Amino acid sequence: MLDRLRLPGLGGWSEDPLWASFYDWSVEHPRAGGLLWRAGIASDLGKLYAAAAEIGRQPSGSSILDIPSGGGVALRGLRPGQGVRYVAADISPTMLERTMDAARERGVADQVDPQVADVGALPFGEGEFDLVVSFTGLHCFPDPHLAVLEMARVTHTGGVITGSALLNTELSSPGGLRTLPIRKVGRLAGLLGPSATKDEVLAWLGEAGFVEATLEMSGAIGYFRAVKG
């Protein structure tokens, strides 16, 4: 995703980075993963599960965009036979392969449409989706502001955007000091972008035409949700 110096052993997003594999493992193992999230970034993993559950509340016929789909952790919110169109988008074909593996394991592959896509120039029409989800994504993008504007463009009026991100926080805030090494190593490895502050994300959502915007911090992770006005 970012063409920068890569640290040995981490891999880039075009490969299958160890970072992504560890993240997926932590999410799929609630007890051990929950402890690691608490210790590492002072965050409650349960909030990710609660946010992803909104996917399962979408009625039949809805269109959902998941970007970046990564290893498919958001698929835990998709129900077999739900009858929705679920577009799993990622800039990495390798990540999409992992997404489809997860979709088959969960019995929802018939609803999932994998597509290679750059969040800075999404290959979708205006207002194409009822729900756009972006879990632990904004901090990976080279231009998170542009990403929010593009995700807004493809969300129809009355639709919802929801997601989470490792935000830039004060070192004295919960998880702030603990995540400093993660940010530095991640940026050197080309896995993390500049990210944003809580205020910046809320401002971008407003600029993009979203209303009823909320952003709740859980350690260094911010969970946002807003409705397209």
Side-chain angles (χ1 to χ4, degrees):
M1 187 171 292
L2 298 174
D3 291 328
R4 297 185 182 179
L5 174 66
R6 297 220 165 92
L7 297 182
L10 289 179
W13 290 118
S14 60
E15 305 164 27
D16 192 355
L18 293 176
W19 190 321
S21 298
F22 175 75
Y23 166 72
D24 293 347
W25 181 90
S26 72
V27 174
E28 296 305 327
H29 294 79
R31 182 171 297 179
L35 291 173
L36 287 171
W37 278 50
R38 285 284 189 191
I41 55 178
S43 187
D44 179 3
L45 181 56
K47 292 189 179 299
L48 175 60
Y49 302 149
E54 182 156 12
I55 294 169
R57 295 193 290 270
Q58 302 306 298
S60 177
S62 298
S63 291
I64 301 166
L65 173 63
D66 175 8
I67 185 164
S69 66
V73 296
L75 290 172
R76 66 186 308 109
L78 184 61
R79 295 179 285 107
Q82 190 173 337
V84 300
R85 173 193 176 219
Y86 188 103
V87 176
D90 202 290
I91 201 167
S92 167
T94 302
M95 292 294 105
L96 291 176
E97 290 174 7
R98 292 181 57 190
T99 292
M100 291 312 298
D101 286 343
R104 285 185 283 271
E105 291 177 4
R106 293 185 178 278
V108 296
D110 58 319
Q111 300 177 83
V112 180
D113 174 18
Q115 295 197 34
V116 174
D118 183 343
V119 72
L122 291 172
F124 309 115
E126 294 189 11
E128 187 169 335
F129 296 96
D130 303 284
L131 174 66
V132 175
V133 302
S134 184
F135 294 115
T136 55
L138 280 182
H139 57 264
C140 298
F141 302 145
D143 189 340
H145 183 193
L146 177 60
V148 170
L149 296 180
E150 269 294 277
M151 289 189 284
R153 181 183 64 79
V154 301
T155 306
H156 76 64
T157 301
V160 169
I161 184 173
T162 186
S164 62
L166 180 66
L167 298 183
N168 296 331
T169 58
E170 297 292 335
L171 295 182
S172 59
S173 65
L177 186 58
R178 295 185 218 177
T179 57
L180 184 59
I182 295 174
R183 299 175 200 280
K184 289 185 175 181
V185 173
R187 286 166 183 161
L188 282 174
L191 296 174
L192 297 184
S195 191
T197 65
K198 176 180 179 179
D199 289 343
E200 285 175 327
V201 173
L202 289 172
W204 296 342
L205 289 171
E207 176 189 349
F210 286 101
V211 297
E212 302 176 29
T214 61
L215 197 160
E216 179 185 1
M217 296 300 297
S218 177
I221 299 288
Y223 288 87
F224 57 88
R225 185 183 186 278
V227 178
K228 183 73 174 293

